[in-house]
Amino acid sequence: MRHQGTGAGLKTAALYVVATPLGNLGDIGARALEVLRGADAVACEDTRHTRHLLDHFGIRAETFSLHEHNEAATAERLLRLLREGRTLALVSDAGTPAVSDPGARAVAAVRAAGFAVIPVPGPNAAIAALSASGLTDPHFLFYGFLPAKEAARRKAIAGLKPLPCALVFYEAPHRIEETVADLAAELEPERTLVIARELTKLFESIASLPLAEAPAWLGADADRRRGEFVLAVSAPPPAEGLGPEAARVLALLLAELPLKQAVKLAAEISGASKNALYDLALEKKRES
Ligand code: SAM
C-alpha cells in the first residue's frame, strides 16, 4: 500500500467520510476529489462502482469493500491501517455514507478507538429532494427506508402520523406502489406527497400532489414507478380543536407552571397548536 496520506494536506491516521454524487458526476465536490486523491485507501460498498467513479476523475487510490455484511471485520482493517498512520476515505455507492448506507458502525469503531473522523459533506438524496420539494414545514424527520413487510410498514407509518413535521422516506422501485398506498391509507389525505425520482439523473422528476391522489397517479404510468425515490410528506394539517392528549398535557402543566410556560411546553410535547392551547388555558383559568 502506498504512503501518500500527507500529500494533499490531509490528516494522517484519520478517516474521511466522503459524500459522492447521486447520479450526476458533476456533483462531486472539490474537497471530495482532494481527499480521494490523497487517501492511502478508499473503503467502499462496491469496489467496481467506486472504481468507475475514481477512474472518471483519474484517481488511482486503492479500494477495498465495506458493506453491510463485512462491516465489523472491515472496521478492524480500518483500525489497523489507522494505527499505521494511514489516511483513509470512506464512500458509499451514492450520496453520503452512513445515511441509510453502510459506514455507521465502522465510523463508531474508529471514533471509539480515538482516531479522527472527518466529514466531507456533499450529495444526499433526502436533502436534495427536500430542497426542491416546495414543502414549507420548518421541521422534517428523516426516516429512510420503511419496513419491507406491510404490517410493520403500516405500524411504522401510524407511529409517525402525529409528529408535527414533514416526513422523508427512501424507497426502491419494487416497493414504491405499496409504500405510497400505505402512506395514503394511514395518513391524512390532504397532506402533500412529493415524489422525487432519479434526482440529478437523466429522468429526474419531482411531482407534488395530495396524498389521496398519489396511488392513482403512480398507477397511471409505469415510468413514474421506475428508478430511485425519495418520498416527502408534508406535516399534518392543523388540528381542529384540541385532542384529549393535548388537553391532558396542558392540564398537568398548568397545575405546576405559569400559563405561558405551560402552553409553550404543552405545544412542544403534544404538537398541538399553541394558539389553541393558549385559548384553552385562558378558559380554564377563567373557570377556576
Ligand atoms: N446514502 C445515500 C444518501 O446520502 O442519500 C442513500 C443511500 S440508500 C441505500 C439509496 C436510496 O436513496 C434509494 O433507494 C433512494 O431511495 C435514495 N436515492 C439515492 N439516489 C437517489 C436519486 N438519484 N434519486 C432519488 N432517490 C435516490
Side-chain angles (χ1 to χ4, degrees), residues 94 96 99-101 124-125 145 170-171 198-199 228-230:
T96 301
V99 176
S100 292
D101 254 348
N124 167 258
F145 290 99
Y170 282 165
E171 197 46 279
E198 293 289 88
L199 293 168
E228 299 193 274
F229 295 87
V230 179

Side-chain angles (χ1 to χ4, degrees), residues 141 143 156-167 191 234-236 269-271:
L141 178 132
Y143 192 90
I157 297 170
L160 297 168
K161 184 177 178 182
L163 297 182
C165 58
L167 304 171
R191 288 172 84 160
S234 63
I269 294 168
S270 67

Side-chain angles (χ1 to χ4, degrees), residues 169-285:
F169 304 98
Y170 282 165
E171 197 46 279
H174 60 278
R175 262 200 290 273
I176 188 68
E177 272 191 292
E178 297 166 42
T179 293
V180 167
D182 288 346
L183 288 169
E186 293 290 337
L187 302 177
E188 296 85 344
E190 66 270 44
R191 288 172 84 160
T192 298
L193 174 67
V194 176
I195 304 178
R197 183 171 77 88
E198 293 289 88
L199 293 168
T200 78
K201 300 186 194 176
L202 188 60
F203 295 108
E204 176 179 276
S205 76
I206 302 175
S208 178
L209 62 170
L211 193 45
E213 294 171 18
W217 183 86
L218 264 186
D221 182 346
D223 283 344
R224 294 175 182 167
R225 306 190 293 272
R226 291 191 219 287
E228 299 193 274
F229 295 87
V230 179
L231 300 172
V233 188
S234 63
E240 289 167 21
L242 288 172
E245 181 59 13
R248 192 182 72 83
V249 170
L250 179 67
L252 286 173
L253 293 171
L254 276 174
E256 306 290 336
L257 298 169
L259 186 139
K260 264 192 171 168
Q261 212 179 339
V263 166
K264 183 171 174 284
L265 279 176
E268 277 171 20
I269 294 168
S270 67
S273 138
K274 213 166 159 183
N275 286 343
L277 284 163
Y278 195 73
D279 290 346
L280 180 62
L282 288 178
E283 200 178 301
K284 280 188 177 299
K285 203 174 155 196

Side-chain angles (χ1 to χ4, degrees), residues 61-185:
E62 186 173 320
T63 57
F64 60 92
S65 81
L66 181 152
H67 48 71
E68 214 183 323
H69 306 293
N70 74 354
E71 199 167 341
T74 308
E76 279 308 312
R77 181 170 178 181
L78 291 177
L79 291 178
R80 245 188 352 262
L81 294 168
L82 291 169
R83 281 188 206 107
E84 290 170 8
R86 310 295 174 115
T87 298
L88 304 176
L90 169 67
V91 301
S92 58
D93 282 353
T96 301
V99 176
S100 292
D101 254 348
R105 276 178 283 169
V107 165
V110 169
R111 289 178 58 84
F115 292 105
V117 176
I118 302 168
V120 181
N124 167 258
I127 298 298
L130 267 179
S131 71
S133 69
L135 295 183
T136 55
D137 304 299
H139 310 291
F140 70 90
L141 178 132
F142 171 67
Y143 192 90
F145 290 99
L146 281 159
K149 298 227 165 79
E150 184 183 345
R153 188 166 56 231
R154 287 253 190 160
K155 193 168 168 212
I157 297 170
L160 297 168
K161 184 177 178 182
L163 297 182
C165 58
L167 304 171
V168 183
F169 304 98
Y170 282 165
E171 197 46 279
H174 60 278
R175 262 200 290 273
I176 188 68
E177 272 191 292
E178 297 166 42
T179 293
V180 167
D182 288 346
L183 288 169

